[in-house]
Structures are given as C-alpha cells and as structure tokens.
C-alpha cells in the first residue's frame, strides 16, 4: 500500500514542462497508489473554481482518471491556491481537506499541512493570510469579474515575490516552536508539509519523543514527492529530464 504526497508544483502557463511532468507522474509513479495527497500550491494562482486556465486541462483530466480508478485523492489549499473549493475537488474526484489534518499512513500517523501557517515569524504574511482567508474578503473577491480577479492575482503575486526577496531566510522558514506546538497538539511524531521550498527530512527530539518533519520540495528542475508504505516514509527527488526519458 503506497501513499504519496506532493506540493508546490506551482503549475502555470509559463511552465508547460511542469504540467507535462505532473501528468507523467500521475500516469506512472502515482498509478495504482492507495492515495495521493496534494498539499497545496499545486497551482501558481487560483482565482476561483469558475475559471480554469486552459493549460491546466490535461492535469484536470489525469486527476479525474486517477481518482476514478482505485486511488483516493485529497487536496489541501496552499497560499497560492487557497481559493480552490469543492467545485474543483468534486470535478477531479478529490476530497477537500482542512488546512491541517491528521492522517493514518501505513506505518504511522502523520500531521499534514501546506506549511505556510507554521511561518509565524513572518507577521506581515500572517496578517495577509488572515485577510485573504476571511469569508468576507473571499466573497467580495469571488464576486468580481474574472478579468479583474486575474489582474488582482497578478498584482498580489508580484508584491509577494518582491517582499519574499527582501525577507531573511529565517523569517520565511517555519518557526520551530510552531512545529513543536503543532505536533504536540496533534499527538503524532511525524509532520509532512511543503511551502518553504526547502526539501529535507529533519529528525529531532522534544520531551523525550523522537519527532520527524518531512518537507516536500517545489517542482522546478526536479520533481519531489514523499512515498509512504509499511516501512515508513521517504522523500524522493527525480530529475524532470530523467522522468521524461523513463516515461
Ligand atoms: Mn506555499
């Protein structure tokens, strides 16, 4: 029984290679898996389920195929695709998860999340997050015409890129105390998340417990995923060039 996790693909028009790599991944690596968890920022931008960029159509179709066979599909929103709603998840046959969930993996329980909520040192970002995650803001945004929403999203994306560039790397990483709090609250020893684009497996001890934090990588020259079975979980990197040769 194999359970897979991916995050931070940031699929968009400008990167058709990543769309191809994901379709390939769904057809090969993910084929026959027990479940696939999409942990946010699968899409670089999402302005509401009533607008799907045509470049994403092959991905939508392949996700439908995966979920209609034997694999369970789960979606957690990231900080770019936080407006993904049940209309999209119904379309692709996925279950929309809360921003933080405890899941039973073949080897153990794990806490899963996109990870932006752990960057508690970044107060400016947390304020922005509270604003765009509020029902009022979302209702107002979703009521705007598609063209206007695309423009606002483009503006927000440019602002966020400029701001992230001027922040120290400590501020944009997860806060260790937030990680400990989350694991303790969930009463599990394993946390899986994405968002920071710092793929790694961190092991540490707290209050006499051996804890692990696995961080997914963003897709760029390589694709990253976490694969879990009865023996445990591993973080895997695959060069996109090699994946396409193998496919
Ligand atoms: Mn993110």
């Amino acid at each position: 029984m194999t359970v897979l996790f991916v995050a931070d693909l940031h699929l968009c028009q400008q990167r058709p290679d990543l769309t191809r790599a994901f379709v390939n991944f769904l057809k090969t690596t993910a084929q026959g898996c027990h479940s696939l968890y999409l942990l946010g920022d699968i899409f670089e931008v999402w302005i509401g389920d009533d607008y799907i960029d045509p470049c994403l159509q092959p991905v939508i179709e392949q996700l439908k195929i995966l979920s209609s066979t034997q694999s369970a599909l789960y979606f957690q929103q990231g900080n770019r695709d936080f407006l993904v709603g049940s209309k999209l998840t119904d379309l692709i046959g996925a279950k929309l998860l809360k921003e933080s969930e405890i899941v039973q993996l073949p080897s153990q329980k794990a806490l899963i999340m996109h990870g932006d909520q752990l960057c508690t040192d970044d107060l400016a970002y947390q304020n922005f997050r509270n604003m765009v995650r509020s029902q009022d803001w979302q209702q107002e945004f979703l009521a705007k015409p598609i063209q206007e929403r695309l423009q606002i999203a483009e503006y927000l994306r440019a602002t966020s890129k400029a701001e992230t560039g001027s922040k120290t790397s400590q501020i944009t990483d997860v806060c260790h105390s937030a990680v400990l709090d989350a694991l303790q609250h969930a009463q599990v020893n394993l946390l899986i998340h994405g968002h920071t684009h710092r793929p790694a497996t961190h092991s540490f001890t707290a209050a006499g417990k051996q804890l692990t934090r696995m961080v997914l990588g963003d897709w760029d020259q390589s694709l990253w995923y976490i694969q879990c079975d009865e023996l445990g979980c591993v973080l895997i990197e695959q060069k996109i060039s090699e994946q396409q040769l193998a496919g």
Side-chain angles (χ1 to χ4, degrees):
M1 169 165 150
T2 308
V3 179
L4 299 170
F5 295 88
V6 295
D8 302 295
L9 279 60
H10 294 274
L11 300 179
C12 62
Q13 245 176 34
Q14 289 75 27
R15 293 296 302 268
D17 58 326
L18 296 183
T19 301
R20 271 198 304 276
F22 189 40
V23 168
N24 243 337
F25 173 85
L26 295 171
K27 281 182 180 169
T28 57
T29 314
Q31 219 233 329
C33 70
H34 177 274
S35 32
L36 170 64
Y37 287 86
L38 308 172
L39 297 191
D41 287 1
I42 302 306
F43 308 113
E44 172 71 357
V45 64
W46 198 261
I47 61 156
D49 291 349
D50 55 343
Y51 174 78
I52 298 178
D53 191 303
C55 77
L56 298 173
Q57 211 51 52
V59 166
I60 303 293
E61 290 310 315
Q62 205 57 45
L63 286 169
K64 276 190 203 169
I65 292 172
L66 187 78
S67 66
S68 66
T69 51
Q70 65 271 61
S71 305
L73 193 57
Y74 300 95
F75 196 105
Q76 234 170 7
Q77 300 157 333
N79 55 301
R80 301 213 174 264
D81 50 14
F82 61 87
L83 283 173
V84 164
S86 54
K87 201 172 152 197
L88 176 75
T89 51
D90 285 352
L91 175 71
I92 61 175
K95 181 172 192 271
L96 186 59
L97 298 178
K98 296 194 299 280
E99 65 174 64
S100 140
E101 295 261 358
I102 298 165
V103 294
Q104 179 67 58
L105 300 177
S107 63
Q108 64 189 306
K109 277 188 180 168
L111 174 64
I112 62 167
M113 57 179 75
H114 178 59
D116 56 322
Q117 60 270 67
L118 297 169
C119 301
T120 48
D121 286 341
D122 192 345
L123 295 177
Y125 171 68
Q126 293 301 329
N127 286 336
F128 173 78
R129 185 179 198 273
N130 287 337
M131 177 184 82
V132 299
R133 293 240 173 191
S134 77
Q135 227 181 1
D136 286 352
W137 188 92
Q138 294 197 358
Q139 272 172 4
E140 203 182 312
F141 181 80
L142 291 170
K144 293 181 196 296
I146 285 170
Q147 210 49 43
E148 194 183 335
R149 277 185 269 158
L150 285 169
Q151 279 165 6
I152 296 173
E154 187 49 49
Y155 169 77
L156 290 177
R157 193 162 66 137
T159 317
S160 133
K161 272 205 175 124
E163 277 175 4
T164 306
S166 70
K167 286 174 187 168
T168 66
S169 75
Q170 199 192 336
I171 276 189
T172 54
D173 202 355
V174 299
C175 177
H176 191 60
S177 63
V179 169
L180 292 180
D181 285 352
L183 282 168
Q184 199 193 5
H185 184 74
Q187 295 285 302
V188 297
N189 299 334
L190 173 64
L191 168 64
I192 295 176
H193 71 84
H195 180 64
T196 60
H197 299 190
R198 295 167 212 214
T201 300
H202 302 278
S203 295
F204 47 97
T205 357
K209 276 189 192 162
Q210 185 65 42
L211 305 174
T212 305
R213 176 168 72 93
M214 299 186 81
V215 190
L216 286 154
D218 60 310
W219 287 29
D220 187 12
Q221 300 308 313
S222 294
L223 57 91
W224 294 88
Y225 60 99
I226 289 172
Q227 184 175 308
C228 304
D229 60 22
E230 287 72 12
L231 297 174
C233 297
V234 279
L235 173 66
I236 298 174
E237 175 183 17
Q238 189 179 20
K239 294 272 172 226
I240 285 181
S241 52
E242 287 164 18
Q243 183 215 30
Q244 268 148 16
L245 285 177

